[in-house]
Amino acid sequence: MNSKRYTLFTVLSLLASAAMLFFTFFAWGWFSDIGMRFYFEIPVSTQKGFFTAFSDTVWMAVPFFSVIASALYLARPGKALQLLGTALGSLPFALYALLQFFAVLGEETVHTSVLISHFFILLCAFFAMASFFLREIRPFALHFYAGYGLLEILLLILSALLDQKLSPYYFYQIIPIGHSGFHYRFFTISVFLYQIFYLLSLILRSLAGPVPPPSDPPEKNVEEEPSAEDEEEESDLSSLTLQDFGIEK
């Protein structure tokens, strides 16, 4: 049963990583002036300098590493490859979050909600690596992933209801037009789903549990050799005659 559960949740984790990879290149958003918009793109900007291009490249590479990590776990590897899979599934996104913090130190303007989101990404990576070495914190790590995902969803809903940027995926500003102004909003749906499927892949990988040990090979049907007592009993029976049973010819 544990083996089937492990396979099921690991395959689902692989599918979540593949969905994350899809939304890396499929840009999908809602804009208050033009409505829904979607298209495919390479999400790397080369017009803002090397640092931005490098961080964008890391962001684009994260889903590839997540797919590889899930595929490694699906193959039920040994401890060394399990550690590699855990690192590939968590550290690249943590690297991207660190790069965003460095961007702030370089005086680049970043909204507070984005920094909070990246801080939680760093915590996700910490719990993923720590739970590999300390099995007792795995349930807490699982609840942390799920709680953070629900928090992102809640902040997005509140941003839309209150017309305030509480979520890093929701943007709101007032563009001065005449005496009133135009309330401009847009929602980066694909980036939001990118994040949600990342958390979902971590959750499913945690639900799969530890890698089950290899099953024992089926026992071979070995014909038992007759014992000495059986041979003696068989020889005794073969020496009996009809007279021994009271039957005359």
Side-chain angles (χ1 to χ4, degrees):
M1 182 63 184
N2 289 337
S3 179
K4 292 181 179 179
R5 171 192 172 93
Y6 177 84
T7 301
L8 173 62
F9 282 106
T10 306
V11 169
L12 292 176
S13 176
L14 179 60
L15 293 177
S17 299
M20 180 187 178
L21 179 61
F22 173 78
F23 286 111
T24 303
F25 301 97
F26 180 73
W28 181 21
W30 175 82
F31 303 85
S32 59
D33 56 341
I34 60 175
M36 287 290 183
R37 185 184 178 193
F38 45 88
Y39 54 93
F40 286 93
E41 67 172 354
I42 303 296
V44 178
S45 175
T46 58
Q47 301 175 353
K48 298 181 180 180
F50 173 79
F51 185 84
T52 301
F54 177 69
S55 62
D56 288 348
T57 303
V58 173
W59 189 84
M60 182 179 66
V62 167
F64 289 99
F65 289 119
S66 184
V67 168
I68 294 173
S70 297
L72 272 177
Y73 270 94
L74 189 60
R76 304 186 181 188
K79 284 290 184 181
L81 289 180
Q82 289 178 38
L83 178 59
L84 176 62
T86 303
L88 291 177
S90 57
L91 295 184
F93 209 0
L95 173 60
Y96 173 76
L98 281 175
L99 291 174
Q100 297 307 301
F101 281 106
F102 290 147
V104 174
L105 295 177
E107 299 182 357
E108 182 177 326
T109 303
V110 179
H111 194 270
T112 306
S113 62
V114 177
L115 295 178
I116 293 174
S117 177
H118 292 153
F119 176 72
F120 275 99
I121 289 299
L122 290 175
L123 289 179
C124 285
F126 169 78
F127 283 118
M129 296 302 300
S131 61
F132 178 83
F133 297 102
L134 301 174
R135 184 169 296 183
E136 57 271 14
I137 71 171
R138 290 181 180 178
F140 180 79
L142 175 61
H143 287 90
F144 180 81
Y145 304 147
Y148 171 49
L150 292 175
L151 177 63
E152 289 286 12
I153 295 173
L154 177 62
L155 289 176
L156 182 63
I157 294 174
L158 290 177
S159 296
L161 292 177
L162 301 176
D163 277 339
Q164 295 185 17
K165 183 174 174 54
L166 302 175
S167 169
Y169 314 105
Y170 186 88
F171 299 84
Y172 172 80
Q173 59 182 336
I174 300 177
I175 302 176
I177 298 178
H179 297 286
S180 57
F182 175 65
H183 293 254
Y184 182 68
R185 313 170 184 86
F186 65 97
F187 166 30
T188 54
I189 302 173
S190 56
V191 182
F192 171 73
L193 293 177
Y194 173 101
Q195 182 92 343
I196 292 300
F197 277 111
Y198 173 75
L199 293 172
L200 189 58
S201 69
L202 292 180
I203 291 171
L204 291 168
R205 205 174 300 142
S206 297
L207 288 174
V211 177
S215 57
D216 297 330
E219 297 181 358
K220 296 181 180 179
N221 295 326
V222 181
E223 295 183 1
E224 296 182 358
E225 297 182 359
S227 62
E229 294 181 357
D230 294 337
E231 291 180 353
E232 183 179 352
E233 182 179 354
E234 186 176 345
S235 61
D236 292 342
L237 291 175
S238 62
S239 63
L240 294 177
T241 61
L242 294 176
Q243 286 80 2
D244 294 327
F245 293 100
I247 301 174
E248 296 183 356
K249 293 183 179 180

